[in-house]
Amino acid sequence: MNTHDTRNPCTKLCRYDAADRCMGCFRTRAEVRHWKRLPDETKAAINARIAARGGTVSKKDGKRTKKLDKKIRKLEAKLATLRARRSDLEGPVVKAAE
């Protein structure tokens, strides 16, 4: 009888960080892609690694994170626009005739 935890840890928050790890379930892109074909022992090891890390991100927290990321992107775009306007205003500095 198999007592390993082989459940899929997906939280439906599939976004990847720079290290190619899902920000919802902390699996690598390859682990996510090949989950159905992985042996039960490997699935259990992945789930144990996730549990040792503190578990997955809840769907509620993940949605909040997505909303905040969207707001941050909008603010960064606005900031870039404002910086461009500022540099246009500063432009080449012309000394006033003395």
Side-chain angles (χ1 to χ4, degrees):
M1 185 170 211
N2 190 355
T3 59
H4 295 301
D5 180 12
T6 60
R7 293 175 292 168
N8 190 333
C10 184
T11 59
K12 308 287 189 242
L13 300 170
C14 303
R15 295 184 55 229
Y16 295 91
D17 61 13
D20 238 10
R21 289 208 180 268
C22 177
M23 296 171 74
C25 67
F26 306 114
R27 293 180 293 167
T28 65
R29 194 177 296 267
E31 290 169 345
V32 170
R33 190 178 307 122
H34 302 294
W35 185 258
K36 289 182 180 181
R37 293 185 296 251
L38 292 174
D40 286 349
E41 294 78 22
T42 305
K43 291 178 184 179
I46 292 168
N47 282 334
R49 183 190 74 218
I50 292 168
R53 181 183 174 136
T56 59
V57 173
S58 73
K59 197 166 195 167
K60 182 180 176 183
D61 290 341
K63 284 183 179 181
R64 181 73 181 139
T65 301
K66 279 185 178 182
K67 284 182 181 181
L68 290 173
D69 285 346
K70 186 176 180 179
K71 285 182 180 182
I72 289 169
R73 283 192 302 275
K74 284 183 178 181
L75 289 171
E76 286 173 340
K78 189 171 184 173
L79 181 60
T81 303
L82 292 172
R83 283 186 173 148
R85 273 193 194 162
R86 182 177 178 215
S87 67
D88 289 346
L89 290 174
E90 290 175 347
V93 178
V94 178
K95 288 188 177 182
E98 296 177 358

